[in-house]
Amino acid sequence: MATVEELKLRVRELENELIKCKQKQSAMDNAHNQEQHRPKIDKMSSEVVDSNPYSRLMALKRMGIVKDYEKIRTFTVAVVGVGGVGSVTAEMLTRCGIGKLILFDYDKVELANMNRLFFQPHQAGLSKVEAAEHTLRNINPDVSFETHNYNITTMDNFAHFMERISFGGLEEGKPVDLILSCVDNFEARMAINTACNELGQIWMESGVSENAVSGHIQLIIPGETACFACAPPLIVAANIDEKTLKREGVCAASLPTTMGVVAGILVQNVLKYLLKFGTVSHYLGYNAMKDFFPTMAMKANPQCNDRYCRIQQEEYKKKEAERPKVEVVEEEEEEIVHEDNDWGIEVVSEVTDMELEAASGVVPDLPEGITVAYTIPAENTASGETVGETEQSLEELMAQMRKL
Amino acid sequence: MATVEELKLRVRELENELIKCKQKQSAMDNAHNQEQHRPKIDKMSSEVVDSNPYSRLMALKRMGIVKDYEKIRTFTVAVVGVGGVGSVTAEMLTRCGIGKLILFDYDKVELANMNRLFFQPHQAGLSKVEAAEHTLRNINPDVSFETHNYNITTMDNFAHFMERISFGGLEEGKPVDLILSCVDNFEARMAINTACNELGQIWMESGVSENAVSGHIQLIIPGETACFACAPPLIVAANIDEKTLKREGVCAASLPTTMGVVAGILVQNVLKYLLKFGTVSHYLGYNAMKDFFPTMAMKANPQCNDRYCRIQQEEYKKKEAERPKVEVVEEEEEEIVHEDNDWGIEVVSEVTDMELEAASGVVPDLPEGITVAYTIPAENTASGETVGETEQSLEELMAQMRKL
């Protein structure tokens, strides 16, 4: 049997071991906590010190680019789809110090997503919105986050989605300032379109092709520019053999480069729109094979199948009529309007009339490099990227869309 | 004094506490280790399963975009400058499964970098190459990493830099396949230019303007295209009031959007060059204010001040003369050569002759939207971003550059 001295020695040993163990745990905890947070910052400062995360953004004021950069903290942006484009979009807005982000996605992080930016292997299995919120909060704790782990296209979720974009602004009860569509399928785009037409909510659409080498962004102002139901969705022609595009499986190709460029031009357009600088693009395409970036604009279609779109068009006409005629035109590009154009497509890009005429082949009146997207899903096949090319006429596509 | 029973009780208590402490530590260790790694993958597979990080890249083969995607594992790319553009460039290449990355930077991560992608607040204080390697290795342990925490422009470091790009390939002793310049100053660009001219090493240059709203990438093939000493560096005109650009401090503005777009078009050009698809751009600019992307190409200048550039030009001429005349032209765009052009600038973009003529104002023969950069540092002022605009003539700038 152990003596009192032996037991005392054992107690001392154990006490020492326990102290060491707790010290190590505390160090690990500290390291973990450091990983979690930088302190919140109450007021954006222009001070040029290494410890100021906003100095390089506030410098945009000194450079004469943005008049009131701090205003970014008052805006709420909803990002629908937190995949290859949406996650990078959310990260850029977070780093720019946006006021509030509302993220919608129902997918889980998988190792198969690791060929695009943002998510990391240790997050595999987590929901995308949960993993994204964790990373984004570490990057910038000054941003407010709200996440919804559901599919917006089901009836109940759509109602909740409508509720959140109507009342989920930074000041609860106010609407969001902008919705960004970063989804990969037709149904989700149509759901956003329907919601935004009903609410008169401005939104931006984005997309990347199945072959990973083209993409686009589009600004949609209900009643003013073409909505997603006004005209067949447009994509950037990839100029590759169409036969190879016909999908054998549902696995689309993707590249971090194309996704990064599309997220970059999308958020740049968001910043220009919210902070009022430069020219906000109505449509900007990206053809990675040729490094070609077509731009254009489309007016709303008076025969649009979406009732709320037509109502918004009436409201817009009224507002336009009431506006005083003398107004300051800020840095707007000249618009070339093609009068003989069923879809009211206006070319506002560097593409000349001659180039446009040369490009007017199968699909008339679309600028070079832009073609209609083949985004109508074939009878409920598995979800997924369905953007491709088609040689169908606009009329055929519109007829198909109206059937939906 | 404590009894034997009391001491025994205390020993049991301590033993239990210690077990709990060690269990918690082990759980923390596990969580930490999980965060560190996914298993290495020996062979890239096309299998479409959630657990395959390469499925969406290998799909580029099925889509007819890339013939032999696996070849990416055989290439080594050196990235000089791991800042706003370089870090995202390295991440994109890592996620694409590049064989080896060699990173050069001498800077530390600061909170002031948090307005650009990649680095996170908990990394503040770490060297950029160390922090980058840690993150990149977690993302893709299949990539080989080599990092150098030094300034390549000092004499000793320059010699070591030359040695590593000459012999630091995936198979030690072989040169790297490509060097990417993602630096923010004139001296570092000149150092890379000098090294690449001497070694005949192909490289790509990138840059973002001080006002954060324009950027460019450029491919430099020694002896064939203009090197950094052949002609004044070109940048994308930002069309903003020049007076606001004159720097008051050394703090340039920056945006995650512009940096992300430039990294995206840079790595896209790298993929097209290494994996032989699409059209590799010689010069691609990005004007974020107008969403305008000018492209062009410049021939090497026979009067270049760099002796090795002139030697490379002789070698290139010899090789061209020896090449059999009948050859397969792969997807090359038609080039419009301006014969009355001192700098051998060829326009290979969508910019028409008429647009070019219209744009030929102060600086003749440059496509619309491209102007010469004001990158000559004024007598050793503090290092930093020195890209801006100038109205000096090409001749004046060349004279200034020759003095250096």
Side-chain angles (χ1 to χ4, degrees), chain A residues 114-129:
Chain A
M114 293 306 138
N115 68 319
R116 283 148 276 174
L117 297 178
F118 193 74
F119 291 115
Q120 299 206 3
H122 71 270
Q123 297 176 311
L126 296 177
S127 80
K128 283 185 178 173
V129 292

Side-chain angles (χ1 to χ4, degrees), chain A residues 105-359:
Chain A
D105 204 305
Y106 62 97
D107 219 358
K108 278 193 156 54
V109 180
E110 304 288 356
L111 285 183
N113 306 138
M114 293 306 138
N115 68 319
R116 283 148 276 174
L117 297 178
F118 193 74
F119 291 115
Q120 299 206 3
H122 71 270
Q123 297 176 311
L126 296 177
S127 80
K128 283 185 178 173
V129 292
E130 181 191 355
E133 184 186 353
H134 179 84
T135 303
L136 297 174
R137 211 180 272 281
N138 285 348
I139 290 171
N140 191 346
D142 300 330
V143 178
S144 290
F145 296 96
E146 178 180 319
T147 61
H148 298 288
N149 187 20
Y150 60 59
N151 180 348
I152 65 160
T153 64
T154 70
M155 207 142 64
D156 283 358
N157 293 337
F158 182 73
H160 191 261
F161 170 69
M162 286 278 283
E163 199 268 332
R164 292 319 295 152
I165 59 176
S166 305
F167 306 113
L170 196 56
E171 192 185 327
E172 182 67 29
K174 293 269 171 74
V176 303
D177 295 285
L178 197 62
I179 297 172
L180 305 179
S181 163
C182 303
V183 298
D184 62 1
N185 63 83
F186 181 79
E187 288 89 347
R189 286 186 176 94
M190 267 306 200
I192 298 167
N193 190 64
T194 303
C196 290
N197 277 337
E198 186 169 339
L199 300 171
Q201 172 65 56
I202 295 176
W203 62 293
M204 290 185 198
E205 166 17 43
S206 70
V208 172
S209 66
E210 254 190 338
N211 63 15
V213 288
S214 71
H216 72 276
I217 64 159
Q218 186 173 354
L219 167 69
I220 295 154
I221 306 171
E224 188 178 339
T225 70
C227 85
F228 202 68
C230 275
L234 302 171
I235 58 155
V236 178
N239 285 323
I240 61 154
D241 184 4
E242 280 194 37
K243 271 168 267 166
T244 63
L245 250 182
K246 297 293 160 234
R247 62 208 69 84
E248 294 157 29
V250 283
C251 179
S254 57
L255 281 167
T257 45
T258 309
M259 298 275 192
V261 170
V262 171
I265 58 176
L266 176 65
V267 179
Q268 200 82 279
N269 219 35
V270 171
L271 295 176
K272 290 194 284 185
Y273 169 76
L274 293 178
L275 299 173
K276 301 190 195 312
F277 68 97
T279 306
V280 178
S281 280
H282 282 208
Y283 186 100
L284 175 59
Y286 170 40
N287 176 330
M289 297 297 268
K290 294 192 158 191
D291 282 337
F292 177 46
F293 298 77
T295 64
M296 51 157 231
M298 267 195 301
K299 281 186 185 156
N301 176 7
Q303 275 87 50
C304 180
N305 215 36
D306 186 313
R307 188 169 69 93
Y308 283 106
C309 176
R310 296 192 311 268
I311 294 171
Q312 297 290 352
Q313 290 182 46
E314 289 307 312
E315 303 249 320
Y316 175 66
K317 264 188 222 158
K318 258 187 254 170
K319 253 191 257 169
E320 280 298 282
E322 283 164 13
R323 262 213 288 186
K325 281 294 155 218
V326 186
E327 51 186 79
V328 185
V329 181
E330 283 183 45
E331 285 190 57
E332 260 182 300
E333 290 191 335
E334 278 174 47
E335 292 183 331
I336 308 154
V337 183
H338 294 262
E339 294 300 345
D340 58 344
N341 185 324
D342 288 346
W343 300 100
I345 294 166
E346 302 162 44
V347 181
V348 292
S349 68
E350 278 68 31
V351 180
T352 63
D353 274 13
M354 265 170 58
E355 285 178 60
L356 184 78
E357 270 175 51

Side-chain angles (χ1 to χ4, degrees), chain B residues 328-345:
Chain B
V328 186
V329 180
E330 282 183 45
E331 283 189 57
E332 260 181 302
E333 290 191 336
E334 276 174 50
E335 292 183 333
I336 307 152
V337 183
H338 293 261
E339 294 301 343
D340 58 346
N341 183 324
D342 288 346
W343 299 100
I345 293 167

